[in-house]
Coordinates of all heavy atoms in Angstrom, one line a residue:
L24 N -54.3 -83.7 2.5 CA -55.2 -83.6 3.7 C -55.4 -82.2 4.2 O -56.5 -81.7 4.4 CB -54.6 -84.5 4.8 CG -55.4 -84.4 6.2 CD1 -56.8 -85.0 6.0 CD2 -54.7 -85.2 7.3
Y25 N -54.3 -81.5 4.3 CA -54.4 -80.1 4.7 C -55.2 -79.3 3.7 O -56.0 -78.4 4.1 CB -53.0 -79.4 4.7 CG -52.1 -79.9 5.8 CD1 -50.7 -79.7 5.8 CD2 -52.6 -80.6 7.0 CE1 -49.9 -80.2 6.8 CE2 -51.8 -81.0 8.0 CZ -50.4 -80.8 7.9 OH -49.6 -81.3 8.9
F26 N -55.0 -79.5 2.4 CA -55.7 -78.8 1.4 C -57.2 -79.1 1.5 O -58.0 -78.1 1.4 CB -55.2 -79.2 0.0 CG -56.0 -78.5 -1.1 CD1 -55.6 -77.2 -1.6 CD2 -57.1 -79.1 -1.8 CE1 -56.3 -76.6 -2.6 CE2 -57.8 -78.5 -2.8 CZ -57.4 -77.2 -3.2
S27 N -57.6 -80.3 1.7 CA -59.0 -80.7 1.7 C -59.7 -80.0 2.9 O -60.8 -79.5 2.8 CB -59.1 -82.2 1.8 OG -58.6 -82.9 0.7
I28 N -59.0 -80.1 4.1 CA -59.6 -79.5 5.3 C -59.8 -78.0 5.1 O -60.8 -77.4 5.4 CB -58.8 -79.8 6.5 CG1 -58.8 -81.3 6.8 CG2 -59.3 -79.0 7.7 CD1 -57.9 -81.7 7.9
T29 N -58.7 -77.3 4.6 CA -58.7 -75.9 4.4 C -59.8 -75.5 3.4 O -60.5 -74.5 3.6 CB -57.4 -75.4 3.9 OG1 -56.4 -75.8 4.9 CG2 -57.3 -73.9 3.8
F30 N -59.9 -76.2 2.3 CA -60.9 -75.9 1.2 C -62.3 -76.1 1.8 O -63.2 -75.2 1.5 CB -60.7 -76.8 0.0 CG -61.6 -76.5 -1.1 CD1 -61.4 -75.4 -1.9 CD2 -62.6 -77.4 -1.4 CE1 -62.3 -75.1 -2.9 CE2 -63.5 -77.1 -2.4 CZ -63.3 -76.0 -3.2
L31 N -62.5 -77.1 2.6 CA -63.9 -77.3 3.2 C -64.2 -76.2 4.1 O -65.3 -75.7 4.1 CB -63.9 -78.7 3.9 CG -65.2 -79.0 4.6 CD1 -66.3 -79.1 3.7 CD2 -65.0 -80.4 5.4
L32 N -63.3 -75.8 4.9 CA -63.5 -74.7 5.9 C -63.8 -73.4 5.1 O -64.8 -72.7 5.5 CB -62.3 -74.4 6.7 CG -62.0 -75.4 7.9 CD1 -60.6 -75.1 8.5 CD2 -63.1 -75.3 8.9
F33 N -63.1 -73.1 4.1 CA -63.3 -71.9 3.3 C -64.7 -71.9 2.6 O -65.5 -70.9 2.7 CB -62.3 -71.8 2.2 CG -62.3 -70.6 1.4 CD1 -62.5 -69.3 2.0 CD2 -62.1 -70.6 0.0 CE1 -62.5 -68.1 1.3 CE2 -62.1 -69.4 -0.7 CZ -62.3 -68.2 -0.1
I34 N -65.2 -73.1 2.1 CA -66.5 -73.2 1.5 C -67.6 -73.0 2.6 O -68.6 -72.3 2.3 CB -66.7 -74.5 0.8 CG1 -65.7 -74.6 -0.4 CG2 -68.1 -74.7 0.3 CD1 -65.9 -73.6 -1.5
L35 N -67.4 -73.6 3.7 CA -68.4 -73.5 4.8 C -68.5 -72.0 5.3 O -69.6 -71.5 5.5 CB -68.0 -74.4 6.0 CG -68.2 -75.9 5.8 CD1 -67.6 -76.6 7.0 CD2 -69.7 -76.2 5.7
I36 N -67.3 -71.4 5.4 CA -67.3 -69.9 5.8 C -68.1 -69.1 4.8 O -68.9 -68.3 5.1 CB -65.9 -69.5 6.0 CG1 -65.3 -70.1 7.3 CG2 -65.8 -67.9 6.1 CD1 -63.8 -69.9 7.4
I37 N -67.8 -69.3 3.5 CA -68.4 -68.5 2.4 C -69.9 -68.7 2.5 O -70.7 -67.8 2.4 CB -67.8 -68.8 1.1 CG1 -66.3 -68.4 1.0 CG2 -68.6 -68.2 0.0 CD1 -66.1 -67.0 1.0
C38 N -70.3 -70.0 2.5 CA -71.8 -70.3 2.4 C -72.5 -69.8 3.6 O -73.6 -69.2 3.5 CB -71.9 -71.8 2.2 SG -71.3 -72.5 0.7

Side-chain angles (χ1 to χ4, degrees):
L24 175 62
Y25 291 162
F26 178 85
S27 300
I28 293 172
T29 304
F30 183 72
L31 178 61
L32 284 172
F33 188 43
I34 294 299
L35 287 173
I36 288 169
I37 295 294
C38 291

